[in-house]
Amino acid sequence: MRHPETIETLSRGRAFVDATADMLERVRRIRARRPSPSGRVIPEVDGTLRLTDMYIAPGTIAHSTDYRELAADIMAAIHESTRDAVRQHKLAIEDTAWPEIPEVQWVARRR
Protein backbone atom coordinates (compact mmCIF):
# COMPACT_ATOMS: atom_id res chain seq x y z
CA MET A 1 0.00 0.00 0.00
CA ARG A 2 1.30 3.43 -0.95
CA HIS A 3 1.63 6.35 1.41
CA PRO A 4 -1.12 8.98 0.93
CA GLU A 5 1.47 11.66 0.08
CA THR A 6 2.93 9.39 -2.60
CA ILE A 7 -0.52 8.86 -4.10
CA GLU A 8 -1.17 12.62 -4.07
CA THR A 9 2.22 13.37 -5.66
CA LEU A 10 1.67 10.80 -8.41
CA SER A 11 -1.78 12.23 -9.07
CA ARG A 12 -0.40 15.77 -9.38
CA GLY A 13 2.36 14.50 -11.67
CA ARG A 14 -0.21 12.84 -13.93
CA ALA A 15 -2.28 16.04 -13.97
CA PHE A 16 0.80 18.03 -15.01
CA VAL A 17 1.67 15.53 -17.77
CA ASP A 18 -1.95 15.59 -19.01
CA ALA A 19 -2.02 19.41 -19.06
CA THR A 20 1.27 19.45 -20.98
CA ALA A 21 0.00 16.88 -23.49
CA ASP A 22 -3.19 18.90 -24.07
CA MET A 23 -1.16 22.07 -24.61
CA LEU A 24 1.21 20.35 -27.05
CA GLU A 25 -1.75 18.96 -28.99
CA ARG A 26 -3.17 22.49 -29.36
CA VAL A 27 0.25 23.68 -30.56
CA ARG A 28 0.38 20.81 -33.10
CA ARG A 29 -2.97 21.91 -34.55
CA ILE A 30 -1.84 25.50 -35.20
CA ARG A 31 -1.82 26.53 -38.85
CA ALA A 32 -1.28 30.22 -39.57
CA ARG A 33 -2.02 31.44 -43.10
CA ARG A 34 -1.62 35.15 -43.79
CA PRO A 35 -1.65 36.49 -47.36
CA SER A 36 1.11 38.60 -48.82
CA PRO A 37 0.52 42.33 -49.39
CA SER A 38 -0.44 41.57 -53.00
CA GLY A 39 -2.63 38.64 -51.97
CA ARG A 40 -0.87 36.43 -54.52
CA VAL A 41 1.00 34.32 -51.95
CA ILE A 42 -0.34 32.52 -48.86
CA PRO A 43 2.17 30.53 -46.80
CA GLU A 44 1.25 28.12 -44.02
CA VAL A 45 3.29 28.11 -40.80
CA ASP A 46 2.68 25.55 -38.06
CA GLY A 47 2.84 25.87 -34.28
CA THR A 48 6.54 25.06 -34.20
CA LEU A 49 7.14 27.92 -36.68
CA ARG A 50 7.93 25.69 -39.64
CA LEU A 51 6.85 26.69 -43.14
CA THR A 52 4.64 23.74 -44.08
CA ASP A 53 2.95 24.87 -47.30
CA MET A 54 2.67 27.80 -49.67
CA TYR A 55 0.02 28.81 -52.17
CA ILE A 56 1.17 30.95 -55.08
CA ALA A 57 -1.65 32.19 -57.30
CA PRO A 58 -1.57 30.92 -60.87
CA GLY A 59 0.45 33.17 -63.15
CA THR A 60 2.21 34.96 -60.29
CA ILE A 61 5.68 33.71 -61.18
CA ALA A 62 5.20 33.83 -64.96
CA HIS A 63 3.91 37.40 -64.90
CA SER A 64 6.36 38.73 -62.31
CA THR A 65 8.68 41.31 -63.86
CA ASP A 66 10.84 41.89 -60.78
CA TYR A 67 12.06 38.86 -58.86
CA ARG A 68 13.00 41.08 -55.90
CA GLU A 69 9.42 42.33 -55.64
CA LEU A 70 8.11 38.76 -55.74
CA ALA A 71 10.68 37.64 -53.13
CA ALA A 72 9.72 40.56 -50.88
CA ASP A 73 6.04 39.64 -51.26
CA ILE A 74 6.75 36.02 -50.33
CA MET A 75 8.94 36.99 -47.36
CA ALA A 76 6.34 39.47 -46.07
CA ALA A 77 3.68 36.75 -46.14
CA ILE A 78 5.95 34.26 -44.36
CA HIS A 79 6.79 36.90 -41.75
CA GLU A 80 3.11 37.69 -41.05
CA SER A 81 2.16 34.00 -40.93
CA THR A 82 5.03 33.33 -38.52
CA ARG A 83 3.94 36.22 -36.29
CA ASP A 84 0.42 34.80 -36.21
CA ALA A 85 1.72 31.31 -35.40
CA VAL A 86 3.77 32.77 -32.51
CA ARG A 87 0.65 34.57 -31.23
CA GLN A 88 -1.39 31.35 -31.38
CA HIS A 89 1.43 29.40 -29.71
CA LYS A 90 1.55 31.88 -26.82
CA LEU A 91 -2.24 31.65 -26.43
CA ALA A 92 -2.04 27.85 -26.30
CA ILE A 93 0.44 28.11 -23.43
CA GLU A 94 -1.44 30.88 -21.61
CA ASP A 95 -4.77 29.03 -21.90
CA THR A 96 -3.36 25.86 -20.37
CA ALA A 97 -4.91 25.02 -17.00
CA TRP A 98 -1.81 24.01 -15.07
CA PRO A 99 -2.41 22.05 -11.85
CA GLU A 100 -1.33 23.49 -8.54
CA ILE A 101 2.14 22.38 -7.53
CA PRO A 102 2.74 22.77 -3.80
CA GLU A 103 5.87 24.47 -2.50
CA VAL A 104 8.38 21.98 -1.12
CA GLN A 105 11.69 22.74 0.52
CA TRP A 106 13.85 20.46 -1.61
CA VAL A 107 12.64 21.78 -4.99
CA ALA A 108 14.23 25.05 -6.08
CA ARG A 109 11.78 27.40 -7.81
CA ARG A 110 12.78 29.73 -10.61
CA ARG A 111 11.17 33.12 -10.45
Side-chain angles (χ1 to χ4, degrees):
M1 181 155 181
R2 291 187 174 154
H3 190 278
E5 288 182 19
T6 301
I7 293 170
E8 177 64 24
T9 301
L10 290 172
S11 175
R12 287 176 193 252
R14 275 192 290 281
F16 186 80
V17 168
D18 291 345
T20 302
D22 291 343
M23 186 248 334
L24 290 173
E25 182 56 34
R26 287 192 309 278
V27 167
R28 278 194 273 288
R29 288 193 308 257
I30 292 172
R31 294 292 181 269
R33 298 175 193 94
R34 293 289 170 253
S36 66
S38 71
R40 300 178 299 176
V41 177
I42 304 172
E44 179 183 88
V45 176
D46 71 9
T48 61
L49 311 183
R50 291 179 298 182
L51 179 65
T52 56
D53 201 1
M54 184 177 309
Y55 169 79
I56 299 177
T60 297
I61 295 172
H63 295 107
S64 184
T65 56
D66 183 358
Y67 70 89
R68 288 175 294 219
E69 181 183 307
L70 178 59
D73 205 35
I74 291 169
M75 292 307 296
I78 291 171
H79 177 76
E80 288 304 312
S81 294
T82 302
R83 283 183 56 178
D84 187 43
V86 167
R87 181 189 61 77
Q88 291 181 54
H89 188 125
K90 286 180 181 178
L91 285 174
I93 294 170
E94 291 169 3
D95 291 346
T96 300
W98 298 107
E100 280 295 315
I101 306 287
E103 292 284 336
V104 290
Q105 295 172 346
W106 60 88
V107 177
R109 297 283 179 151
R110 290 187 205 175
R111 301 275 181 205

